[in-house]
Amino acid sequence: MGTGSPLWKPLSETPLLVPATGERLQAQGEMTRLFTRKVAARAMFTLALVLIGSTAFAALAWADGPWRWEIGMQPPATPVKDRLTAFHDELLVITFLITLFVLGLLLYVIVRFRQERNPMPTRTSHNTVIEMLWTVVPVLILVIIAIPSFKLMYYMDRVPNPDMTIKVTGHQWYWTYEYPDQNGLSFDSNIIPEADLKPDQKRLLDVDNPLVVPVDTVIRVYITGTDVIHSWFVPSFGVQEYAIVGRLNESWMNVEHPGVYYGQCNQICGINHAFMPIKIEAVSKDDFQRWLGDAKKKFAHKDENGGAVRVAAVSAATDAAQPAPAGN
Ligand SMILES: [Cu+2]
């Protein structure tokens, strides 16, 4: 717009009248132009951030366990999490391509339809073909995403022939772990207070009695609660299940590599919600048998207050209604 434009005259020179239609249109054109440039600049900045972020994420994805300034997800340790991670990566590719396409369109519009090159805007307002396309193509993309998504959801949901069962009970504010196949072996798992931490222990994540499981074993996990709703969440297993009073939720895991895995209650459950971490040690089958022998002695007669006995009764009733485990 030239310097002689009446719009930019000092207020004193501007007539206190509504500008003529032509001037108003010109003013609107100017506003739109400024606005479009600003939006385009912002969109490009955002895309640059997304690109840098996803590259950094890809580079960091091989580190083990939670680490400082973590961006991506923890490395997968079960078939469920393998699939979840793969699905996430597929979605990232689709998102990247769509973002690239939208950026291309934006750049094209910014260059091709800028005011200098296109002084007389077209009055086109409808184009049936384009409107059909921008409806049908996104629907197709959603269908393409939905098919693997539903497959994965059912894969996570059905426990494939469990070799053993573990029962998890959420309390304010700790977990109880129970092995119904092992004469109801059961123990509580409490956080290690910060003051008692040993150098190799993780703050807010380490516990006195971790859950111990064998690798290469299909483990059915029952989850329930005794006071409020908790949630048993182990990121590297792809397991997240609500612990609800009076309900028995079910999930499963098959840990692929021995190691130590951490999780947390991720349902706001009261003042000590942040202090009921989950620690799982996955060990070889032999080591697990050895641990069972020790644990049965260590945790014998520990639950005579009735809580665990009641829970065990529920578990036994549910087990009776299900096909027997393939063995352990
Ligand atoms: Cu909780």
Side-chain angles (χ1 to χ4, degrees), residues 8 94 154 173 259 288 319:
W8 306 112
I94 295 175
Y154 286 113
W173 289 271
F288 180 69
D319 279 349

Side-chain angles (χ1 to χ4, degrees), residues 170-175 227-232 243 264-270 272-276:
H171 310 275
Q172 283 177 315
W173 289 271
Y174 62 96
W175 299 98
D227 34 46
V228 298
I229 301 178
H230 301 270
S231 177
W232 202 70
Q264 283 167 314
C265 174
N266 74 337
Q267 173 71 27
I268 305 283
C269 57
N272 285 341
H273 161 66
F275 307 105
M276 48 183 299

Side-chain angles (χ1 to χ4, degrees), residues 180-255:
D181 313 327
Q182 305 295 336
N183 297 323
L185 165 66
S186 139
F187 54 86
D188 296 339
S189 183
N190 279 283
I191 187 170
I192 296 182
E194 213 168 324
D196 303 342
L197 275 182
K198 295 194 186 84
D200 59 331
Q201 287 178 324
K202 290 188 193 316
R203 190 180 74 94
L204 296 182
L205 285 176
D206 256 295
V207 299
D208 53 358
N209 300 313
L211 175 69
V212 178
V213 296
V215 293
D216 294 326
T217 308
V218 177
I219 303 168
R220 173 170 52 193
V221 187
Y222 284 140
I223 297 143
T224 189
T226 54
D227 34 46
V228 298
I229 301 178
H230 301 270
S231 177
W232 202 70
F233 174 44
V234 186
S236 48
F237 292 179
V239 172
Q240 181 197 24
E241 206 65 54
Y242 286 117
I244 299 172
V245 186
R247 273 181 182 273
L248 202 62
N249 280 339
E250 189 185 62
S251 187
W252 69 282
M253 57 202 199
N254 183 355
V255 189

Side-chain angles (χ1 to χ4, degrees), residues 129-206:
V129 175
I130 291 178
E131 281 164 25
M132 292 286 281
L133 277 179
W134 79 42
T135 310
V136 172
V137 172
V139 168
L140 284 179
I141 295 174
L142 287 180
V143 169
I144 289 170
I145 291 174
I147 292 169
S149 173
F150 275 94
K151 271 171 103 172
L152 181 52
M153 206 170 73
Y154 286 113
Y155 178 73
M156 293 167 72
D157 188 52
R158 300 231 175 90
V159 187
N161 255 339
D163 299 318
M164 65 178 274
T165 302
I166 279 170
K167 178 153 179 150
V168 176
T169 309
H171 310 275
Q172 283 177 315
W173 289 271
Y174 62 96
W175 299 98
T176 298
Y177 298 125
E178 194 183 335
Y179 297 73
D181 313 327
Q182 305 295 336
N183 297 323
L185 165 66
S186 139
F187 54 86
D188 296 339
S189 183
N190 279 283
I191 187 170
I192 296 182
E194 213 168 324
D196 303 342
L197 275 182
K198 295 194 186 84
D200 59 331
Q201 287 178 324
K202 290 188 193 316
R203 190 180 74 94
L204 296 182
L205 285 176
D206 256 295

